[in-house]
Structures are given as structure tokens and as C-alpha cells.
């Protein structure tokens, strides 16, 4: 019971601070840092399927609202990425390629993206990898400090 409450508080903190980092961090060729997307993939591998799905839905909704994207654009991709990471044998590979795939997803559904698709995908690889590393380190630290999984 305590662990559930701690997981809920950590998820709320990640949504709030992840959204703030995404909004305030500088963008290169229209590509920002994918904290919420990486957190969705991370939680998909470390939480129950229900919690992972709820977080992916919430993170996608926050992403849509912050980016001004049409409704369910990010939500649908975040849920697909979480499911893929959950059932993948190599979740770290999912974390490495999820952001460039998200750029392709946006290119399919949203017209007029700044920077062009080639530049966005090219820049999204290193940005996604660095964000995946930093976000994973912070989330593992939060889980350890919150004693998640230790009842």
C-alpha cells in the first residue's frame, strides 16, 4: 500500500518536472528533450502494466498539451512505445530508438514541422540517447530513495 502511494507521487513529480524540462530546455532544429517519452518507456519496464498504461496516457496528454499537438497524437505513440518496451526482450534498445521513431510519427500526422524530417531524425538520435541516460539515472535514484518495490 505504501509502495503504491510512493509510485503515484513519483509519477506526479515526473509528469510535472518532466513537462517543465521539456518546455524550458532549448530545442535544436525543433527537437527538444523527450523526458516524458523516456519516462513512459522506463515505467513500462518497471511498473505493473496498469500503472505503465496510466502513466503513458498521462504523459502523452501532457506532451500534447505542452506542444500544441492535435489530441491523441502523442498519447497514441506513448502507449505504443510503452507496450513495445514492456514486451520487448531488449527494452534498452527501445529506449534508444523510440525518440527518432516519435519524430517520424509526428511527421506522419502533423504537417509543417520545423527543421525538416531528416534533420529532426538525425538530431533526435543523440538527444534521445542523452536524455534516456539522464532520465533513467534520475528515475532509478527516485525509485531507490522512495523504496519502490520494498514492502
Amino acid at each position: 500500500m505504501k509502495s503504491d502511494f510512493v509510485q503515484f507521487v513519483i509519477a506526479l513529480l515526473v509528469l510535472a518536472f518532466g513537462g517543465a524540462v521539456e518546455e524550458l530546455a532549448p530545442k535544436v532544429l525543433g527537437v527538444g528533450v523527450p523526458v516524458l517519452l523516456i519516462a513512459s518507456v522506463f515505467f513500462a519496464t518497471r511498473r505493473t502494466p496498469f500503472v505503465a498504461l496510466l502513466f503513458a496516457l498521462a504523459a502523452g496528454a501532457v506532451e500534447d498539451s505542452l506542444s500544441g499537438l492535435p489530441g491523441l497524437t502523442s498519447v497514441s505513440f506513448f502507449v505504443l512505445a510503452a507496450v513495445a518496451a514492456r514486451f520487448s526482450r531488449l527494452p534498452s534498445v527501445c529506449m534508444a530508438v523510440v525518440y527518432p521513431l516519435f519524430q517520424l510519427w509526428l511527421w506522419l500526422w502533423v504537417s509543417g514541422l520545423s527543421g525538416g524530417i531528416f534533420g529532426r531524425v538525425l538530431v533526435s538520435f543523440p538527444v534521445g540517447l542523452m536524455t534516456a541516460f539522464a532520465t533513467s539515472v534520475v528515475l532509478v535514484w527516485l525509485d531507490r530513495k522512495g523504496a519502490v518495490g520494498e514492502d
Side-chain angles (χ1 to χ4, degrees):
M1 192 71 162
K2 174 189 172 273
S3 182
D4 293 339
F5 179 72
V6 172
Q7 287 182 27
F8 179 72
V9 170
I10 288 174
L12 287 179
L13 286 171
V14 170
L15 284 173
F17 286 108
V21 168
E22 283 192 8
E23 190 65 23
L24 297 174
K27 293 173 179 35
V28 179
L29 294 176
V31 175
V33 291
V35 175
L36 295 174
L37 177 59
I38 297 300
S40 295
V41 172
F42 179 86
F43 284 153
T45 61
R46 298 229 175 177
R47 302 290 194 262
T48 64
F50 181 70
V51 171
L53 177 66
L54 283 180
F55 185 82
L57 289 169
V62 169
E63 180 76 26
D64 283 340
S65 64
L66 287 175
S67 303
L69 293 170
L72 300 178
T73 304
S74 296
V75 173
S76 56
F77 186 82
F78 281 31
V79 169
L80 288 173
V83 168
R86 179 79 180 182
F87 296 109
S88 172
R89 293 182 190 266
L90 300 169
S92 57
V93 173
C94 286
M95 220 177 257
V97 299
V98 72
Y99 194 46
L101 290 174
F102 181 59
Q103 296 303 317
L104 291 171
W105 183 267
L106 290 177
W107 177 70
L108 284 173
W109 299 108
V110 179
S111 62
L113 291 175
S114 62
I117 187 60
F118 180 72
R120 290 176 72 95
V121 170
L122 190 63
V123 170
S124 68
F125 271 110
V127 170
L129 286 174
M130 290 186 300
T131 305
F133 175 74
T135 303
S136 296
V137 168
V138 169
L139 292 176
V140 166
W141 179 79
L142 275 174
D143 277 356
R144 235 184 288 130
K145 285 295 182 182
V148 172
E150 298 178 19
D151 291 324

